[in-house]
Amino acid sequence: MTSPAKPDALSRRRFLGGAAVAGAGLAGTGLARAEAGKPDPLITEVQDWSRYLGEGVDKRPYGTPSRFEKNVIRRDVSWLTASPESSVNFTPLHELDGIITPSGLCFERHHGGIADIDPANHRLMIHGLVDKPLVFTMEDIKRMPRQNRIHFLECAANSGMEWRGAQLNGCQFTHGMVHNVMYTGVPLKVLLAEAGVKANAKWLMLEGADSSGMNRSLPLEKALDDTLIAFAMNGEALRPEQGYPLRAVIPGWEGNLWVKWLRRIEVGDQPWQAREETSKYTDLLADGRSRRFTFFMDAKSVVTNPSPQAPLKQKGRNVLSGLAWSGRGTIKRVDVTLDGGKNWQHARIDGPVLDKSLTRFYVDFDWTGQDLLIQSRAMDSTGYLQPTKEELRKIRGTNSIYHNNGIQTWHVKTNGETENVEIG
Amino acid sequence: MSRSVNPVLLAGLAAFAVLAAAPLIAQTKPAAKQAQTHPPAKAAPAPAPAAKLGLGREALPEEIKAWDIAVRPDGKGLPPGKGTVKQGDEVFQAQCASCHGEFGQGNNRWPVLAGGMGSLKSDRPEKTIGSFWPDLSTVFDYVRRAMPYGNAQSLSPDELYAVTAYLLYLNDIVKDEDFELSDKNFTSVKLPNAAAFYDDDRETTEKAFWGKEPCMTNCKPEVKITGRAVILDVTPDSKTAPKVD
């Protein structure tokens, strides 16, 4: 219940653990490398893993990552919230590549903890302005026509702690309230057609079965467009922390709308003005007024490597890697600067470029050991160009909490250590 | 084969047969089936959407009533009931004050529920029910569905009206301890910040972010670092740190 005013040295060390560990290897010559000219014992001597039997196929009925990957974990920041059951943790973006987030690393955001639901006991009700109110079991839903789609889910508050300035040191913390998986589910319009939506219907209310009774109002047009009611992610059932057995997928829109443990959809003619669309997820501007129903997540990008938790270790050839995404369409291009915005180059996009999905970009570059000020700038298929933080603050002030898609700057120092900074 | 196994096995098979047959019937003979159970009366008011799958079953009124807990600003969804500020004070001290404080001031990092009037344009806004929330219905709806934290959906309608009345009192929106809030007078209460919300206007106010061809070379003469995460450190004090609640 009590939260310390300041994290102690231990938790700070844990917080910056990735950087500290990596920092030790910055000497530049590579610790595990053999001395020049001498044979490498890792090659000349037979190693244990080449001599002895490894584990059999009966040891890992559900596999987990190598023990050497134990730094690749979700992390939380305890001082952010009063309680871990209504809180958030962060995806380790700096440890990942490609565009698919492993299910066990997808950031979590709960408002009443993780509901523990036996799918046999789960029900979905649709009622309100419908011809016939209906109750579905999971078995019913799995007999409906399915779709598979890859979409990002970004918390509206991603980067929200950075509105006033550079604060958290690592892209996991500044940008890690995002994940991207393949969902399998039933289009919401199929479910609504079963109930028969009345002509005066304009809004839906989605509600979760968890102890926060999470509820949000969703415009009917979006429900009939590309909203999915999903039961699987990355090929298997949803993880409990991602809404098992059923969640809403609202492509391109703020994560709060993606109601987990979905149990009820009410059809109505106006929004409900729930707590999560009045007290929260409204954007306070400098004039004291607030935007509401700010659904879209605008085009955004971040360089994940190098970054504070993933410093540069070697001079010479390096790979700059990052992610770009837009809730309004596809990523058209990404520009990267190494000198704080004086000069830019087009990054190389690799892998699938999908609608409302994370997109991976690279810049292959040579580092001579000089200071770098790295930024990335995304442009989406609507022609929207990712703004700087200053451009956003000029319009919105610093108290809007949500929807911070401003350009991120990393300062790579001459020893390769990398820091979250703001530049002018 | 033992005699006791047979009926179970048969029942299981029978259930499976029904389950398997249903979609086939729906797919092959929907019109005939409908004609049998619903003799032709009037033409359907709306064109039938692409053939229904016939999945799910009708929700019963008792089921809808049990789950339909949402309350809208126009009062739709309010249950019958009433409660006074004084009664709400008692409920609040017993059920809410351990986190939110006796007067809604918030203990430690738990949410502040009262005060902060006129602070929304300040450097550090205090967003409470009184200073920020637009609709009283949201107070009732949210307390009903999610509070007390860890024992949700445990308050009776009368307790919910009473607590809501007490929260109005803490925020100086009602001044009389004998004020009674009920389903009858609920929608007559307006919150101070109701008019300060407007729908997303980014496509107008942030139009400049669209269609801009950005500078690629020699874009600025010099670059200065103006802020560093390691100087700010990750150690803001507990009251000014960003909150996620």
Side-chain angles (χ1 to χ4, degrees), chain A residues 3 5 7 15 79-81 83 85-86 109 111 123 125 127 132-136 140 143-144 161 164 166-169 190 193-194 205 207 211-213 215 263-264 266 269-270 272-275 278-280 282 284-285 287 289-294 296 298 328 333 340-344 346 373 377 382-385 391 396 399 401 411 419-424, chain B residues 19 23 49 52-59 63-64 67-74 76 108-110 120-125 127 132-135 138 141-142 145-146 149 152-153 196-203 205-206 209-230 232-237 241-245:
Chain A
S3 57
F15 181 76
W79 53 255
L80 270 178
T81 54
S83 128
E85 292 82 19
S86 180
R109 174 52 167 134
H111 295 74
R123 302 287 182 271
M125 183 186 291
H127 71 107
K132 183 179 173 186
L134 292 174
V135 171
F136 299 100
D140 293 331
R143 291 165 66 196
M144 296 176 178
M161 288 83 79
R164 287 172 174 273
Q167 179 157 250
L168 295 171
N169 219 17
V190 170
E194 289 298 289
M205 190 198 65
E207 183 183 275
S211 73
S212 78
N215 63 327
R263 80 166 191 181
R264 185 165 76 98
E266 186 173 351
D269 59 356
Q270 54 179 273
W272 277 259
Q273 310 295 355
R275 186 254 201 179
T278 53
S279 170
K280 309 296 170 190
T282 52
L284 176 62
L285 303 189
D287 68 359
R289 299 191 306 147
S290 300
R291 289 175 181 161
R292 70 167 133 208
F293 300 125
T294 45
F296 285 94
D298 280 319
R328 297 182 192 264
R333 82 182 217 211
K342 289 181 191 168
N343 298 288
W344 297 79
H346 297 313
L373 287 168
R377 180 174 72 188
T382 69
Y384 179 99
L385 185 71
E391 286 174 314
R396 304 188 196 167
N399 284 321
I401 302 178
H411 176 208
E419 190 185 335
N420 175 10
V421 299
E422 297 232 357
I423 58 172
Chain B
L19 200 69
K52 291 192 183 191
L53 303 165
L55 292 168
R57 55 134 180 115
E58 185 151 8
E63 295 172 329
I64 296 173
W67 273 10
D68 184 7
I69 55 171
V71 178
R72 288 197 322 201
D74 63 0
K76 184 181 178 296
N108 298 314
R109 289 186 64 73
W110 296 101
L120 296 184
K121 292 187 211 173
S122 71
D123 188 44
R124 299 284 177 178
K127 292 155 71 180
F132 188 68
W133 291 33
D135 303 297
T138 312
D141 176 87
Y142 183 68
R145 70 178 54 250
Y149 191 61
Q153 299 193 48
F197 292 80
Y198 57 99
D199 286 348
D200 188 3
D201 65 348
R202 277 176 286 177
E203 277 155 78
T205 54
E206 300 182 1
F209 298 155
W210 275 271
K212 194 159 58 179
E213 192 50 43
C215 174
M216 293 300 289
T217 52
N218 300 316
C219 300
K220 42 182 155 177
E222 62 167 342
V223 178
K224 271 190 232 156
I225 291 175
T226 56
R228 290 179 174 280
V230 288
L232 270 177
D233 209 343
V234 294
T235 53
D237 73 68
K243 283 188 186 181
V244 181
D245 49 36

Side-chain angles (χ1 to χ4, degrees), chain A residues 228-289:
Chain A
L228 217 55
I229 304 304
F231 48 82
M233 60 192 284
N234 289 338
E236 62 180 353
L238 295 171
R239 293 290 168 92
E241 64 270 33
Q242 303 298 340
Y244 181 84
L246 199 62
R247 85 168 309 162
V249 171
I250 324 277
W253 288 19
E254 59 186 15
N256 181 257
L257 282 152
W258 298 45
V259 173
K260 298 188 283 192
W261 312 291
L262 181 71
R263 80 166 191 181
R264 185 165 76 98
I265 298 173
E266 186 173 351
V267 182
D269 59 356
Q270 54 179 273
W272 277 259
Q273 310 295 355
R275 186 254 201 179
E276 305 290 323
E277 56 208 24
T278 53
S279 170
K280 309 296 170 190
Y281 306 97
T282 52
D283 310 354
L284 176 62
L285 303 189
D287 68 359
R289 299 191 306 147

Side-chain angles (χ1 to χ4, degrees), chain B residues 33-162:
Chain B
K33 196 182 176 210
Q34 190 143 19
Q36 280 171 5
T37 49
H38 302 284
K42 289 172 190 169
K52 291 192 183 191
L53 303 165
L55 292 168
R57 55 134 180 115
E58 185 151 8
L60 302 175
E62 298 90 334
E63 295 172 329
I64 296 173
K65 193 178 170 225
W67 273 10
D68 184 7
I69 55 171
V71 178
R72 288 197 322 201
D74 63 0
K76 184 181 178 296
L78 282 171
K82 58 182 169 28
T84 65
V85 170
K86 270 188 194 157
Q87 290 164 337
D89 190 353
E90 282 177 32
V91 178
F92 193 88
Q93 301 317 325
Q95 302 272 2
C96 320
S98 61
C99 292
H100 295 295
E102 275 176 81
F103 306 104
Q105 76 274 21
N107 292 332
N108 298 314
R109 289 186 64 73
W110 296 101
V112 179
L113 304 180
M117 305 299 180
S119 71
L120 296 184
K121 292 187 211 173
S122 71
D123 188 44
R124 299 284 177 178
E126 184 92 88
K127 292 155 71 180
T128 71
I129 292 167
S131 71
F132 188 68
W133 291 33
D135 303 297
L136 188 63
S137 56
T138 312
V139 179
F140 194 99
D141 176 87
Y142 183 68
V143 176
R144 187 189 202 183
R145 70 178 54 250
M147 292 289 131
Y149 191 61
N151 189 23
Q153 299 193 48
S154 61
L155 299 182
S156 69
D158 285 353
E159 288 173 320
L160 290 166
Y161 282 107

Side-chain angles (χ1 to χ4, degrees), chain A residues 104-135:
Chain A
L105 294 175
C106 289
F107 85 96
E108 301 167 74
R109 174 52 167 134
H110 320 306
H111 295 74
I114 302 168
D116 179 24
I117 303 175
D118 178 343
N121 295 336
H122 191 68
R123 302 287 182 271
L124 174 66
M125 183 186 291
I126 298 181
H127 71 107
L129 297 178
V130 294
D131 298 333
K132 183 179 173 186
L134 292 174
V135 171

